[in-house]
Amino acid sequence: MTLNDEQLTELVQWEKGLISPEIFISDAVYEQELEALFGRAWLFLAHDSMISKPGDFFTTYMGGDPVVIARQRDGSVKAFLNVCRHRGLKLCRAEDGNTKTFTCTYHGWAFDIAGKLVSVPNHDDAYHGELNQDEWGLIEVAQLDHYKGLWFATFDKTAPPLTEFLGDMCYWIDGWADHLPGGIEILPGVIKWTIEGNWKLGAEQFGGDGYHAAVSHVSSFSLLDPSLFATMPKGGQFASREGHGHSFMHAKSRFNDDPIAQYNHERRLAMTDHVGEERANILANFTVFPNFSGLSGSANLRIWHPKGPNKFEIWSFTVVDKNAPEDVKKRIQVSAGFTEGPAGIVEVDDGEQWNNIGSVLKYGCQSKKIFWNYTMGLGHETSDHPLVKGKMKATYFGEGPQRAFYRRWLEFMTSKEWPRVTPDAPLTETETFDQTVASSAHE
């Protein structure tokens, strides 16, 4: 069954802040997502530091499809479906590494890192020398590009350039990926775990849901810093017309006893010189539409890999300043696992909530008929930020990024061609975003 545009629009009434839970559990919606969304959007694959040398590779997914990204001998980068052309087996089963060839474990077809079929067992006798190996190389993604060391790919050759897709989210990405000379590095090792729920739950939360933290994480934050959510933290939100989201509070370590406090202090001073106070002096969470997220003040990047309408994998990476001392990198990695790993004192709270929602939708009937409420802050956003064109809200709590996320989701799901963005009319509020945030930052 395929849902038509009218049905999907009924389920996602983003302009009213009403979303049907059907989009989080429906098999039909999920199958359409794989083609209409994950088959067209730019998706994050890896960072330069993960494939720094010729022959380095990393295996990941684009939607439900396995892909491999590899550094070529000339220093360029290519990405392919990680699928053998003979019988469709997942070709490379390793998570990462360095190699000259990928050899299928089924019948032994071998491909070089440029995707060319270089060896076929029994080519001369079984195939009678008639198989044209040049025609059976790995299938490349339609487009591959990078921004500040972050590699993205799309299966859609008609997709606009990556920078157009990222839009004004580049302003915020620069704040954590190009915040200091040398940029960032992703440390070796990916932590992976599975949630019995829908991938959009994680993506929307990281895009702008600071509201949950005061309740969901009360037990952990009360140990780290009891004052952190005593009142709504001073901060703001950004909702991109391209579906990206970013929310932030003004800088404050989640730890009263910060083991790298001196490094962080010096780091913020250097960041202020490099990217300005607005981006240097914050703790933030974000989502690059549709499924690449992170906690830019907490050394964490992640991908929400869909594995069905009610199952997804979280792939979590530790990100550090490339030029940071090695002992600082190690402390950050330990801290990130302590808080944001699958058994982290913060992360377990989120996993419990998402699993709970997935269970309700899996076994319930009436529960799927009600609409969920996404109205927080509706009508209280501005569009007068001097550097970015998205909607801004001068409070840390709000649901503008979620509404923007589902608006863009709906456009992908209901568009036969690439859904081009049409700009909104300017918003007005009695007090501008600049004035509100500037005053709250110095209270």
Side-chain angles (χ1 to χ4, degrees), residues 216-354:
S216 291
H217 302 315
V218 63
S219 58
S220 56
F221 284 146
S222 65
L223 295 174
L224 301 177
D225 182 357
S227 69
L228 189 58
F229 284 96
T231 59
M232 181 173 66
K234 304 299 183 182
Q237 290 191 322
F238 163 74
S240 166
R241 181 62 185 85
E242 289 83 6
H244 319 303
H246 181 272
S247 64
F248 57 90
M249 66 176 78
H250 296 295
K252 178 179 176 63
S253 173
R254 292 189 297 182
F255 299 91
N256 274 334
D257 182 19
D258 187 346
I260 55 171
Q262 183 60 34
Y263 174 79
N264 281 334
H265 173 69
E266 295 173 356
R267 176 178 184 263
R268 286 195 185 106
L269 292 178
M271 285 177 62
T272 301
D273 290 339
H274 200 66
V275 298
E277 183 176 355
E278 180 178 49
R279 290 175 290 177
N281 199 36
I282 59 175
L283 292 174
N285 49 275
F286 69 87
T287 289
V288 173
F289 183 87
N291 68 327
F292 174 45
S293 299
L295 297 162
S296 55
S298 303
N300 181 258
L301 295 176
R302 58 182 57 194
I303 309 173
W304 318 97
H305 283 305
K307 298 298 176 183
N310 204 40
K311 179 181 289 188
F312 66 96
E313 289 182 3
I314 302 173
W315 288 21
S316 180
F317 308 83
T318 300
V319 58
V320 297
D321 301 333
K322 185 176 181 179
N323 293 333
E326 290 303 316
D327 65 313
V328 169
K329 292 180 181 180
K330 184 62 178 177
R331 284 179 176 270
I332 290 173
Q333 189 171 39
V334 171
S335 174
F338 175 70
T339 55
E340 310 301 341
I345 61 172
V346 176
E347 188 65 39
V348 291
D349 301 329
D350 292 330
E352 181 179 8
Q353 314 296 32
W354 297 330

Side-chain angles (χ1 to χ4, degrees), residues 8 29 102 203 243 270 309 381:
L8 288 167
V29 168
F102 300 108
E381 296 153 315

Side-chain angles (χ1 to χ4, degrees), residues 5 26 79 93 99 112 180 287 295 327 329 370 386 406 419 436:
D5 294 357
S26 165
R93 302 187 187 186
T99 191
D112 66 15
L180 290 172
T287 289
L295 297 162
D327 65 313
K329 292 180 181 180
I370 62 175
Y406 290 112
T436 309

Side-chain angles (χ1 to χ4, degrees), residues 84-105:
C84 181
R85 294 296 306 280
H86 184 225
R87 286 294 185 275
L89 198 74
K90 186 176 180 180
L91 179 61
C92 179
R93 302 187 187 186
E95 182 176 278
D96 57 20
N98 186 280
T99 191
K100 293 181 178 179
T101 58
F102 300 108
T103 302
C104 182
T105 59

